[in-house]
Amino acid sequence: MSVHKEYKKITTKRLFDMKQAGEKIAMLTAYDYTMAKILDAAGIDIILVGDSASNVMAGHETTLPITLEQMIYHAGSVVRAVNRALVVVDMPFGTYQGNSTKALESAIRIMKESGGHAVKMEGGEEISDSVTRILSAGIPVMGHLGLTPQSIYKFGTYTVRAKEEKEAEKLIKDAKLLEKLGVFALVLEKIPAKLAQKVAQNLSIPVIGIGAGAGVDGQVLVMHDMLGMTKDFSPRFLRRYADLHTTMHKAFIQYINDVKSLDFPNENEQY
Ligand code: KIV
């Protein structure tokens, strides 16, 4: 059963209105045409072409190695599948930090070459010049605070962020700054639920949580995790909606057995 409203197309303005109306926003990642087509048809509001592609598609340990070209390839595949959802594309590590001119060039390449509708960037005050310059070109920006995986070597661990008062205060300050600069939405990753709720209540833009509790304006998960394709990743916040690992494993075994036992192809499966 689908409970989403029949909006023709999701825009940044529509997302803002959804927050004001108290309607929750559903967001998932996708990286390829086939999955994005199924996801869009199901009525997802936002598809994030996340740099988590570095992990789930390419098998890297972190999100750092993925390149701008690879992100554009994934994003273009997703965009070609989508009719309704807003497609947000992660700016990969090294394409926007510390140089706002380079940041704008990277964002323009994403928009031009993939057809994506917006970009997402990790960080607050330290990337404000890049955010401002990208916004000045008319490119919508989604912020990302809390556990920002591109900074994993600074954090040293994937544990919950902003439990200490000092880090929580900086997060609130950064969230307010990003809203002031003009980002259209904000992702909060793996922070205490109370803090995330406070941020959502104090901002008028939508706040989307991952491991940030129920008091925010929407939720995001990595598709491969929520479909149960990744067996070795089980954080507390992850709800698995399917066990595709088992389903696919069984199907592969069945196929191998059928080929080896001459069961496949049968009379009706040949010309
Ligand atoms: O890359 C990604 O998938 C993300 C989500 C975890 C928010 O940034």
Side-chain angles (χ1 to χ4, degrees):
M1 189 194 65
S2 171
V3 290
H4 69 271
K5 294 223 177 100
E6 290 304 323
Y7 304 129
K8 275 208 179 108
K9 279 221 183 272
I10 302 296
T11 60
T12 56
K13 161 85 168 62
R14 175 76 69 200
L15 295 169
F16 185 83
D17 293 345
M18 284 165 81
K19 167 155 184 163
Q20 311 318 310
E23 185 186 344
K24 297 285 183 190
I25 295 164
M27 168 166 152
L28 281 172
T29 65
Y31 319 96
D32 71 279
Y33 177 84
T34 305
M35 291 295 213
K37 205 166 175 65
I38 300 170
L39 188 49
D40 189 56
I44 198 77
D45 297 312
I46 306 175
I47 296 182
L48 172 65
V49 185
D51 59 358
S52 49
S54 181
N55 310 111
V56 296
M57 301 301 287
H60 292 296
E61 211 173 292
T62 73
T63 57
L64 275 66
I66 200 159
T67 65
L68 188 59
E69 284 69 26
Q70 287 164 344
M71 286 304 297
I72 289 170
Y73 168 78
H74 286 297
S77 309
V78 167
V79 167
R80 285 189 286 280
V82 167
N83 287 316
R84 177 181 178 276
L86 187 88
V87 179
V88 180
V89 185
D90 256 335
M91 294 194 63
F93 176 67
T95 64
Y96 62 95
Q97 294 96 340
N99 181 339
S100 64
T101 308
K102 186 172 173 197
L104 178 57
E105 280 168 17
S106 311
I108 286 176
R109 280 200 60 195
I110 289 174
M111 301 299 281
K112 258 188 190 294
E113 296 175 36
S114 77
H117 309 140
V119 297
K120 177 164 81 59
M121 302 163 72
E122 296 184 6
E125 209 253 318
E126 54 289 338
I127 59 155
S128 60
D129 287 350
S130 295
V131 171
T132 305
R133 195 173 274 244
I134 291 171
L135 285 168
S136 74
I139 300 171
V141 174
M142 174 180 269
H144 185 160
L145 296 172
L147 176 62
T148 45
Q150 291 178 12
S151 302
I152 187 58
Y153 290 114
K154 182 174 89 180
F155 299 145
T157 157
Y158 284 102
T159 193
V160 181
R161 302 305 314 173
K163 284 208 293 203
E164 310 296 333
E165 208 175 308
K166 206 166 152 215
E167 195 177 333
E169 274 168 18
K170 172 161 165 44
L171 188 142
I172 292 170
K173 215 169 136 212
D174 279 341
K176 285 186 179 156
L177 172 68
L178 288 171
E179 174 169 76
K180 199 164 152 231
L181 294 179
V183 308
F184 74 93
L186 177 65
V187 167
L188 292 180
E189 180 164 353
K190 222 169 175 189
I191 63 167
K194 270 196 184 146
L195 174 61
Q197 182 170 29
K198 188 172 164 188
V199 174
Q201 283 170 349
N202 279 282
L203 298 188
S204 54
I205 55 167
V207 174
I208 318 282
I210 172 164
V216 289
D217 308 305
Q219 299 293 329
V220 57
L221 288 173
V222 168
M223 179 198 269
H224 291 62
D225 298 335
M226 63 81 75
L227 288 178
M229 295 171 91
T230 47
K231 279 266 178 214
D232 42 5
F233 181 67
S234 289
R236 191 208 297 207
F237 68 76
L238 174 60
R239 185 181 292 182
R240 290 206 167 90
Y241 286 83
D243 182 6
L244 287 199
H245 189 284
T246 304
T247 306
M248 291 168 76
H249 187 75
K250 278 190 187 152
F252 294 147
I253 289 176
Q254 186 65 54
Y255 170 76
I256 293 164
N257 287 343
D258 288 355
V259 169
K260 291 189 183 285
S261 66
L262 308 185
D263 183 80
F264 175 79
N266 65 24
E267 286 288 309
N268 300 323
E269 291 163 332
Q270 57 193 336
Y271 300 100

